[in-house]
């Protein structure tokens, strides 16, 4: 005789986050990390970048743009809020957003129509924590830690965490190779 099945909670079927931690010791290595990460991305992916000013968020995104093969120089979109970089091949475009100056959550972000862009683009949002999570249950959180204060230390500690079903089968550990 079998024991009765345990009751299911609504969160039971959610995928556990998948994480990897890396150490990056130079800006070129951060850019290279972006190029390698681009190979794991596809249209519909949301990448949230968080870290102190000067941590390397835009440098990482520059590498993503190179890896995705998009048109245009990837620079910080701080003053224009968002830039679209069309693909030069058959890959997805890159939508690069800087949410630093945006105060409100998703309401303010809706004006950017990110939900429309998300399905056919790779959307990267700097300073997106607490602002864009509602766009999709599947997203990649990238947190970059660096020494703060008066320092010339180039070392960064990068934590990548895949959230949702999309990231369950993605082996983020290949980025540390």
């Amino acid at each position: 005789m079998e024991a009765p099945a345990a009751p299911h909670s609504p969160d039971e079927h959610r995928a556990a986050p998948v994480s990897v931690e890396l150490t990056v010791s130079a800006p070129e290595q951060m850019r290279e990390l972006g190029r390698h990460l681009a190979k794991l991305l596809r249209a519909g992916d949301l990448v949230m970048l968080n870290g102190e000013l000067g941590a390397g968020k835009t440098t990482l995104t520059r590498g993503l743009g190179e890896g995705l093969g998009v048109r245009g120089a990837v620079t910080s979109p701080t003053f224009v809020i968002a830039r679209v970089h069309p693909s030069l091949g058959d890959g997805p475009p890159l939508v690069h957003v800087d949410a630093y100056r945006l105060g409100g959550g998703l309401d303010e972000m809706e004006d950017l129509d990110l939900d429309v862009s998300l399905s056919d683009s790779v959307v990267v949002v700097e300073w997106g924590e607490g602002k864009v999570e509602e766009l999709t249950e599947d997203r990649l959180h990238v947190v970059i830690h660096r020494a703060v204060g008066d320092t010339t230390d180039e070392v960064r500690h990068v934590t990548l965490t895949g959230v949702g079903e999309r990231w369950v089968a993605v082996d983020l550990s290949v980025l540390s190779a």
Side-chain angles (χ1 to χ4, degrees):
M1 183 178 251
E2 290 182 24
H8 296 291
S9 71
D11 292 334
E12 186 175 322
H13 297 290
R14 287 200 181 150
V18 179
S19 290
V20 66
E21 294 184 19
L22 310 167
T23 299
V24 175
S25 52
E28 182 50 42
Q29 284 183 339
M30 185 68 77
R31 200 165 170 171
E32 184 68 18
L33 174 59
R35 287 191 287 268
H36 288 297
L37 178 57
K39 295 174 185 173
L40 301 178
L41 298 176
R42 64 183 187 205
D45 283 342
L46 172 64
V47 180
M48 295 172 38
L49 301 179
N50 290 289
E52 298 89 3
L53 286 170
K57 297 178 295 294
T58 300
T59 301
L60 178 72
T61 307
R62 190 169 294 123
L64 286 173
E66 292 168 3
L68 291 170
V70 298
R71 184 179 61 196
V74 175
T75 59
S76 178
T78 299
F79 297 104
V80 294
I81 313 257
R83 282 198 173 94
V84 177
H85 297 274
S87 176
L88 292 171
D90 57 357
L94 171 66
V95 177
H96 184 198
V97 179
D98 187 329
Y100 183 75
R101 294 186 312 136
L102 301 179
L106 198 57
D107 292 341
E108 213 170 340
M109 298 301 285
E110 282 181 353
D111 291 340
L112 300 176
D113 286 332
L114 292 182
D115 53 339
V116 173
S117 301
L118 187 57
S119 63
D120 64 350
S121 305
V122 170
V123 177
V124 176
V125 183
E126 296 187 25
W127 305 96
E129 192 170 331
K131 298 176 183 175
V132 297
E133 289 90 339
E134 294 177 33
L135 287 173
T136 178
E137 291 182 13
D138 300 309
R139 58 195 171 273
L140 182 65
H141 291 253
V142 179
V143 179
I144 306 170
H145 295 281
R146 69 171 184 92
V148 292
D150 188 18
T151 180
T152 58
D153 188 359
E154 293 290 336
V155 174
R156 307 293 193 258
H157 300 284
V158 183
T159 304
L160 297 98
T161 305
V163 176
E165 291 295 325
R166 154 72 175 107
W167 295 99
V168 169
V170 177
D171 183 7
L172 293 174
S173 70
V174 301
L175 298 171
S176 60

